[in-house]
Protein backbone atom coordinates (compact mmCIF):
# COMPACT_ATOMS: atom_id res chain seq x y z
CA UNK A 1 0.00 0.00 0.00
CA UNK A 2 1.37 3.40 -0.98
CA UNK A 3 1.99 5.85 1.83
CA UNK A 4 1.33 9.56 1.88
CA UNK A 5 3.15 11.16 -1.01
CA UNK A 6 4.08 14.78 -1.42
CA UNK A 7 5.30 16.70 -4.42
CA UNK A 8 7.67 18.36 -4.95
CA UNK A 9 10.23 17.21 -2.40
CA UNK A 10 12.07 20.50 -2.69
CA UNK A 11 11.16 23.91 -4.05
CA UNK A 12 13.23 27.06 -4.22
CA UNK A 13 11.35 30.17 -5.26
CA UNK A 14 11.86 33.89 -5.13
CA UNK A 15 9.95 36.15 -2.81
CA UNK A 16 6.70 37.19 -4.43
CA UNK A 17 6.33 34.07 -6.54
CA UNK A 18 3.65 31.43 -6.21
CA UNK A 19 4.18 27.82 -5.20
CA UNK A 20 1.73 24.95 -5.06
CA UNK A 21 2.41 21.90 -2.94
CA UNK A 22 0.56 18.67 -3.48
CA UNK A 23 -0.31 15.85 -1.12
CA UNK A 24 -1.76 12.45 -1.99
CA UNK A 25 -3.02 10.81 1.19
CA UNK A 26 -3.30 7.09 1.74
CA UNK A 27 -6.24 5.83 -0.29
CA UNK A 28 -9.42 5.80 1.74
CA UNK A 29 -8.19 8.21 4.39
CA UNK A 30 -10.84 10.87 4.91
CA UNK A 31 -8.72 12.98 7.24
CA UNK A 32 -5.92 15.00 5.71
CA UNK A 33 -3.72 17.43 7.63
CA UNK A 34 -1.15 20.02 6.67
CA UNK A 35 1.68 20.88 9.06
CA UNK A 36 4.75 23.07 8.79
CA UNK A 37 8.11 22.87 10.52
CA UNK A 38 10.15 26.05 10.38
CA UNK A 39 13.89 26.20 11.12
CA UNK A 40 13.94 22.98 13.13
CA UNK A 41 11.29 24.22 15.53
CA UNK A 42 8.02 22.57 16.45
CA UNK A 43 5.67 21.05 13.92
CA UNK A 44 2.83 23.53 13.60
CA UNK A 45 -0.67 22.61 12.57
CA UNK A 46 -2.04 24.42 9.54
CA UNK A 47 -5.35 22.80 8.72
CA UNK A 48 -7.45 19.67 8.67
CA UNK A 49 -9.70 18.35 5.92
CA UNK A 50 -12.40 15.75 6.35
CA UNK A 51 -12.96 14.57 2.83
CA UNK A 52 -13.32 17.77 0.84
CA UNK A 53 -14.42 19.95 3.75
CA UNK A 54 -12.15 22.14 5.85
CA UNK A 55 -12.72 20.94 9.39
CA UNK A 56 -10.23 23.26 11.03
CA UNK A 57 -8.09 25.90 9.37
CA UNK A 58 -7.15 27.76 12.52
CA UNK A 59 -3.44 27.25 11.91
CA UNK A 60 -3.29 28.91 8.49
CA UNK A 61 -0.96 31.85 9.00
CA UNK A 62 -2.65 34.35 6.67
CA UNK A 63 -4.62 34.72 3.47
CA UNK A 64 -1.57 34.10 1.32
CA UNK A 65 -2.11 30.42 2.03
CA UNK A 66 -4.91 28.55 0.27
CA UNK A 67 -5.60 24.85 0.70
CA UNK A 68 -7.98 22.81 -1.37
CA UNK A 69 -9.08 19.21 -1.52
CA UNK A 70 -11.47 18.99 -4.41
CA UNK A 71 -13.15 15.63 -4.61
CA UNK A 72 -11.81 14.64 -1.23
CA UNK A 73 -8.75 12.89 -2.60
CA UNK A 74 -5.48 14.77 -3.05
CA UNK A 75 -4.91 18.21 -1.58
CA UNK A 76 -2.98 21.26 -2.68
CA UNK A 77 -1.52 24.06 -0.62
CA UNK A 78 -0.81 27.24 -2.52
CA UNK A 79 1.30 30.07 -1.20
CA UNK A 80 0.80 33.33 -3.10
CA UNK A 81 2.79 35.53 -2.92
CA UNK A 82 5.52 33.74 -1.03
CA UNK A 83 7.47 35.56 1.68
CA UNK A 84 10.84 34.71 3.23
CA UNK A 85 9.23 33.55 6.48
CA UNK A 86 7.27 30.90 4.59
CA UNK A 87 10.43 28.83 4.23
CA UNK A 88 10.29 25.50 6.01
CA UNK A 89 9.24 21.91 5.58
CA UNK A 90 5.57 21.36 4.83
CA UNK A 91 4.23 17.99 5.91
CA UNK A 92 1.01 16.36 4.96
CA UNK A 93 -0.51 13.58 7.03
CA UNK A 94 -3.60 11.44 6.82
CA UNK A 95 -5.61 8.94 8.79
CA UNK A 96 -8.92 7.17 8.46
CA UNK A 97 -10.15 7.50 12.01
CA UNK A 98 -9.80 10.73 13.95
CA UNK A 99 -7.55 10.34 16.97
CA UNK A 100 -5.54 7.46 15.61
CA UNK A 101 -2.06 7.26 14.15
CA UNK A 102 -1.34 9.93 11.58
CA UNK A 103 0.76 8.84 8.60
CA UNK A 104 3.10 11.52 7.39
CA UNK A 105 4.47 12.18 3.94
CA UNK A 106 8.13 12.88 3.31
CA UNK A 107 7.47 16.60 3.28
CA UNK A 108 8.19 19.43 0.87
CA UNK A 109 11.13 21.61 1.75
CA UNK A 110 10.26 25.14 0.63
CA UNK A 111 12.94 27.78 0.43
CA UNK A 112 11.97 31.33 -0.37
CA UNK A 113 14.89 33.53 -1.37
CA UNK B 1 -4.21 28.71 22.82
CA UNK B 2 -3.13 25.22 23.72
CA UNK B 3 0.62 24.78 24.02
CA UNK B 4 2.73 21.67 24.35
CA UNK B 5 6.27 22.09 25.58
CA UNK B 6 9.05 19.54 25.69
CA UNK B 7 12.28 19.44 27.62
CA UNK B 8 15.08 19.22 27.00
CA UNK B 9 15.34 20.76 23.54
CA UNK B 10 18.53 18.83 22.91
CA UNK B 11 20.25 15.90 24.59
CA UNK B 12 23.63 14.41 23.78
CA UNK B 13 24.35 11.02 25.32
CA UNK B 14 26.98 8.31 25.04
CA UNK B 15 25.75 5.08 23.55
CA UNK B 16 24.44 2.90 26.33
CA UNK B 17 23.24 5.77 28.51
CA UNK B 18 19.58 6.33 29.25
CA UNK B 19 17.52 9.22 27.88
CA UNK B 20 14.26 10.85 28.92
CA UNK B 21 12.18 13.57 27.31
CA UNK B 22 9.29 15.26 29.07
CA UNK B 23 6.18 16.71 27.55
CA UNK B 24 3.88 19.23 29.25
CA UNK B 25 0.58 20.56 27.99
CA UNK B 26 -1.12 23.77 29.07
CA UNK B 27 -4.46 21.97 28.90
CA UNK B 28 -5.80 18.51 29.68
CA UNK B 29 -5.35 16.10 26.81
CA UNK B 30 -7.73 13.40 25.64
CA UNK B 31 -4.80 11.40 24.37
CA UNK B 32 -1.15 11.79 23.52
CA UNK B 33 0.92 10.39 20.72
CA UNK B 34 4.68 10.14 20.29
CA UNK B 35 6.51 10.46 16.99
CA UNK B 36 10.13 10.10 15.96
CA UNK B 37 11.69 12.09 13.14
CA UNK B 38 15.07 10.98 11.87
CA UNK B 39 17.35 13.69 10.46
CA UNK B 40 16.02 14.63 7.03
CA UNK B 41 13.03 12.37 7.48
CA UNK B 42 9.40 12.68 8.39
CA UNK B 43 7.58 12.05 11.67
CA UNK B 44 6.84 8.38 12.27
CA UNK B 45 4.25 7.30 14.78
CA UNK B 46 5.54 5.42 17.81
CA UNK B 47 2.63 5.04 20.21
CA UNK B 48 -0.59 6.49 21.59
CA UNK B 49 -1.57 6.78 25.25
CA UNK B 50 -5.16 7.37 26.27
CA UNK B 51 -5.71 6.52 29.91
CA UNK B 52 -4.67 8.54 32.92
CA UNK B 53 -1.46 7.09 34.39
CA UNK B 54 -1.00 4.72 31.47
CA UNK B 55 2.42 3.18 30.91
CA UNK B 56 3.39 1.38 27.72
CA UNK B 57 6.63 -0.26 26.71
CA UNK B 58 8.18 -0.96 23.34
CA UNK B 59 11.44 -2.83 23.78
CA UNK B 60 13.82 -0.21 25.25
CA UNK B 61 11.22 2.59 25.10
CA UNK B 62 8.86 3.35 27.99
CA UNK B 63 6.03 5.83 27.56
CA UNK B 64 4.01 7.30 30.39
CA UNK B 65 0.89 9.47 30.52
CA UNK B 66 0.43 11.57 33.64
CA UNK B 67 -2.40 11.14 36.10
CA UNK B 68 -3.78 14.57 35.23
CA UNK B 69 -3.39 13.86 31.50
CA UNK B 70 -1.37 17.03 31.05
CA UNK B 71 2.08 15.53 30.84
CA UNK B 72 3.90 12.60 29.38
CA UNK B 73 7.37 11.17 29.17
CA UNK B 74 9.43 8.94 26.94
CA UNK B 75 12.35 7.04 28.43
CA UNK B 76 14.89 5.14 26.38
CA UNK B 77 17.05 2.60 28.17
CA UNK B 78 20.59 1.97 26.93
CA UNK B 79 20.49 4.23 23.89
CA UNK B 80 21.83 3.07 20.55
CA UNK B 81 22.99 5.09 17.57
CA UNK B 82 19.78 4.13 15.79
CA UNK B 83 17.84 6.13 18.40
CA UNK B 84 19.17 9.40 16.94
CA UNK B 85 16.45 11.81 15.89
CA UNK B 86 13.89 14.27 17.17
CA UNK B 87 11.18 12.94 19.43
CA UNK B 88 7.87 14.76 19.41
CA UNK B 89 4.89 14.36 21.63
CA UNK B 90 1.56 15.37 20.12
CA UNK B 91 -1.58 15.94 22.10
CA UNK B 92 -5.22 16.24 21.31
CA UNK B 93 -7.47 17.95 23.81
CA UNK B 94 -10.27 20.29 24.65
CA UNK B 95 -12.79 21.14 22.01
CA UNK B 96 -10.33 20.73 19.21
CA UNK B 97 -9.63 17.64 17.15
CA UNK B 98 -6.30 18.86 15.90
CA UNK B 99 -3.07 17.27 16.97
CA UNK B 100 -0.79 19.82 18.66
CA UNK B 101 2.86 18.89 18.47
CA UNK B 102 5.35 19.56 21.20
CA UNK B 103 8.52 21.49 20.59
CA UNK B 104 10.53 18.29 20.17
CA UNK B 105 13.69 16.90 21.74
CA UNK B 106 16.66 16.26 19.51
CA UNK B 107 18.63 13.23 20.67
CA UNK B 108 22.24 12.75 19.62
CA UNK B 109 23.97 9.48 20.50
CA UNK B 110 27.73 9.24 20.44
CA UNK B 111 29.13 5.77 19.72
Amino acid sequence: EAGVTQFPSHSVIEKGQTVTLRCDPISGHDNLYWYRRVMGKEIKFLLHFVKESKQDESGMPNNRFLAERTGGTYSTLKVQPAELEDSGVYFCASNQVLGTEAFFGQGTRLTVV
Amino acid sequence: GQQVMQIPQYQHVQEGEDFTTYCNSSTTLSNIQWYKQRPGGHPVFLIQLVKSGEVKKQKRLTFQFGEAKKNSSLHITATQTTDVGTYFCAGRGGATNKLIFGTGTLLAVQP
Side-chain angles (χ1 to χ4, degrees):
Chain A
E1 179 184 320
V4 177
T5 57
Q6 292 185 245
F7 182 83
S9 56
H10 293 82
S11 180
V12 181
I13 61 171
E14 292 183 349
K15 176 182 171 180
Q17 289 186 321
T18 298
V19 63
T20 300
L21 314 180
R22 172 171 170 147
C23 168
D24 286 74
I26 292 173
S27 177
H29 281 192
D30 290 340
N31 296 292
L32 185 150
Y33 313 85
W34 283 98
Y35 286 88
R36 177 173 72 174
R37 190 176 186 201
V38 176
M39 291 291 290
K41 295 185 178 177
E42 71 264 37
I43 300 171
K44 284 205 166 182
F45 169 85
L46 296 179
L47 89 160
H48 168 207
F49 282 100
V50 177
K51 296 185 181 178
E52 68 276 7
S53 300
K54 291 177 185 174
Q55 178 78 10
D56 183 346
E57 52 183 331
S58 60
M60 295 288 264
N62 51 60
N63 59 11
R64 296 184 294 102
F65 288 74
L66 175 64
E68 294 181 322
R69 194 183 180 193
T70 308
T73 54
Y74 72 90
S75 173
T76 58
L77 179 64
K78 180 169 25 177
V79 185
Q80 178 183 32
E83 297 290 343
L84 298 178
E85 64 264 25
D86 300 333
S87 295
V89 182
Y90 289 77
F91 289 106
C92 173
S94 72
N95 58 17
Q96 177 53 26
V97 178
L98 201 60
T100 60
E101 171 185 358
F103 295 85
F104 278 76
Q106 296 287 347
T108 294
R109 180 173 295 277
L110 174 65
T111 304
V112 183
V113 297
Chain B
Q2 181 182 9
Q3 289 186 316
V4 181
M5 303 296 292
Q6 278 182 256
I7 55 170
Q9 280 188 303
Y10 172 77
Q11 183 85 55
H12 184 189
V13 300
Q14 294 278 78
E15 189 172 23
E17 291 182 336
D18 291 356
F19 159 77
T20 304
T21 172
Y22 300 92
C23 175
N24 291 284
S25 170
S26 58
T27 59
T28 302
L29 302 170
S30 56
N31 62 52
I32 194 156
Q33 297 177 351
W34 283 90
Y35 290 80
K36 176 184 178 182
Q37 184 176 3
R38 293 182 183 274
H42 61 282
V44 175
F45 176 83
L46 295 176
I47 208 160
Q48 176 167 283
L49 305 170
V50 179
K51 299 176 184 176
S52 168
E54 188 171 11
V55 177
K56 285 188 177 181
K57 292 191 176 185
Q58 286 180 351
K59 297 182 181 178
R60 295 178 295 104
L61 278 59
T62 301
F63 304 84
Q64 188 167 8
F65 201 8
E67 293 290 342
K69 300 183 78 173
K70 293 181 72 173
N71 57 72
S72 181
S73 65
L74 158 58
H75 179 82
I76 302 178
T77 303
T79 55
Q80 299 175 359
T81 54
T82 52
D83 295 327
V84 163
T86 302
Y87 292 85
F88 291 96
C89 63
R92 191 187 313 276
T96 178
N97 284 319
K98 63 188 178 190
L99 203 55
I100 304 297
F101 277 79
T103 46
T105 296
L106 174 60
L107 172 64
V109 180
Q110 184 167 353

